[in-house]
């Protein structure tokens, strides 16, 4: 797709300007800023790509709230074309049949869990909506939380496979609900420290 846009004369700057028009619900922005201010270690785990995510988050003033972005890497080549590469090497399988070949979010969550366990147990609150968010949801432990967006693929998969899920499930439908539920969970967790 990026090659096609480039062949039509679209520049990286044109793509960035288009991305800046993508709205983020104001309550989602507020929730990100509040969670960050409360000391949460926020990470992005996405099947999109680095350029898109960083451009959108920077435009909305929340890029600095995230300690890490795990996604498909990008760079601009010598011709000015945006190039997107898979997170996982496509020449060898990551071995997960739930995820696309380019990124297994479950493997990334396991990596986070391993690195964090060296510093003591941390609680995960995982927000997602797509099919690719099911695998990492299965990796969450008791005491963790998953917040699927209601009536989206992750919510549907959890609804049909609830016995496989160890994390507590808190669904949401809009930005106001996301903010309220997320901040209530964080508040509860902070009180139990």
């Amino acid at each position: 797709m990026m090659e096609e846009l480039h062949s039509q004369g679209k520049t990286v700057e044109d793509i960035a300007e288009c991305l800046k028009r993508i709205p983020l619900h104001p309550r989602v922005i507020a929730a990100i800023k509040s969670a960050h201010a409360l000391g949460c270690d926020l990470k992005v785990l996405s099947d999109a790509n680095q350029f898109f995510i960083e451009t959108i988050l920077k435009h909305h003033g929340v890029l600095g709230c995230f300690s890490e972005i795990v996604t498909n890497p990008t760079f601009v080549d010598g011709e000015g074309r945006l190039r997107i590469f898979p997170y996982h090497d496509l020449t060898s399988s990551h071995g997960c049949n739930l995820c696309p070949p380019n990124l297994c979010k479950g493997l990334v969550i396991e990596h986070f869990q391993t690195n964090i366990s060296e510093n003591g147990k941390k609680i995960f609150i995982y927000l997602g909506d797509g099919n690719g968010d099911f695998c990492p949801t299965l990796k969450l432990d008791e005491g963790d939380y998953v917040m699927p967006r209601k009536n989206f693929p992750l919510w549907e998969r959890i609804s049909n496979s609830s016995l496989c899920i160890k994390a507590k499930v808190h669904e949401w439908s809009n930005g106001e609900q996301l903010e309220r539920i997320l901040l209530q969970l964080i508040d509860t967790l902070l009180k139990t420290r």
Side-chain angles (χ1 to χ4, degrees):
M1 178 58 73
M2 295 302 109
E3 189 169 332
E4 178 64 26
L5 288 173
H6 182 74
S7 72
Q8 293 177 13
K10 300 295 181 191
T11 66
V12 172
E13 292 77 19
D14 294 333
I15 295 168
E17 288 306 310
C18 181
L19 292 169
K20 290 175 186 177
R21 292 194 301 265
I22 295 174
L24 277 183
H25 193 286
R27 301 315 320 154
V28 171
I29 294 169
I32 292 168
K33 289 179 177 179
S34 295
H36 177 68
L38 290 167
C40 296
D41 181 15
L42 305 178
K43 299 178 187 295
V44 173
L45 175 53
S46 173
D47 194 22
N49 68 75
Q50 178 186 1
F51 181 80
F52 286 19
I53 294 167
E54 288 180 359
T55 300
I56 293 166
L57 294 179
K58 183 177 180 181
H59 175 71
H60 290 286
V62 293
L63 179 60
C65 295
F66 295 91
S67 65
E68 188 172 1
I69 297 173
V70 178
T71 188
N72 298 299
T74 58
F75 82 95
V76 179
D77 67 16
E79 297 175 14
R81 178 178 52 217
L82 179 63
R83 305 288 307 261
I84 303 170
F85 293 91
Y87 179 79
H88 291 300
D89 180 6
L90 294 179
T91 60
S92 61
S93 171
H94 52 63
C96 177
N97 62 0
L98 296 174
C99 294
N102 61 299
L103 176 61
C104 176
K105 293 181 182 180
L107 287 177
V108 175
I109 287 291
E110 287 177 335
H111 176 75
F112 289 161
Q113 290 168 325
T114 300
N115 289 342
I116 289 173
S117 67
E118 296 168 2
N119 301 324
K121 173 70 174 130
K122 301 287 184 194
I123 305 292
F124 285 84
I125 302 175
Y126 188 95
L127 284 82
D129 59 14
N131 275 319
D133 295 307
F134 187 65
C135 178
T137 297
L138 295 173
K139 308 293 182 185
L140 298 174
D141 294 322
E142 290 179 21
D144 291 333
Y145 299 88
V146 60
M147 292 180 56
R149 189 171 183 181
K150 190 172 182 179
N151 296 320
F152 278 71
L154 176 61
W155 179 83
E156 291 168 2
R157 292 196 73 178
I158 289 173
S159 296
N160 294 327
S161 309
S162 61
L163 296 177
C164 301
I165 309 299
K166 294 182 229 166
K168 294 175 191 80
V169 179
H170 293 269
E171 65 188 39
W172 58 278
S173 297
N174 57 48
E176 289 90 1
Q177 287 181 355
L178 181 148
E179 179 187 39
R180 180 180 47 76
I181 294 167
L182 178 62
L183 295 180
Q184 283 176 347
L185 291 175
I186 293 169
D187 183 58
T188 301
L189 292 171
L190 290 174
K191 287 178 181 175
T192 61
R193 273 191 190 178

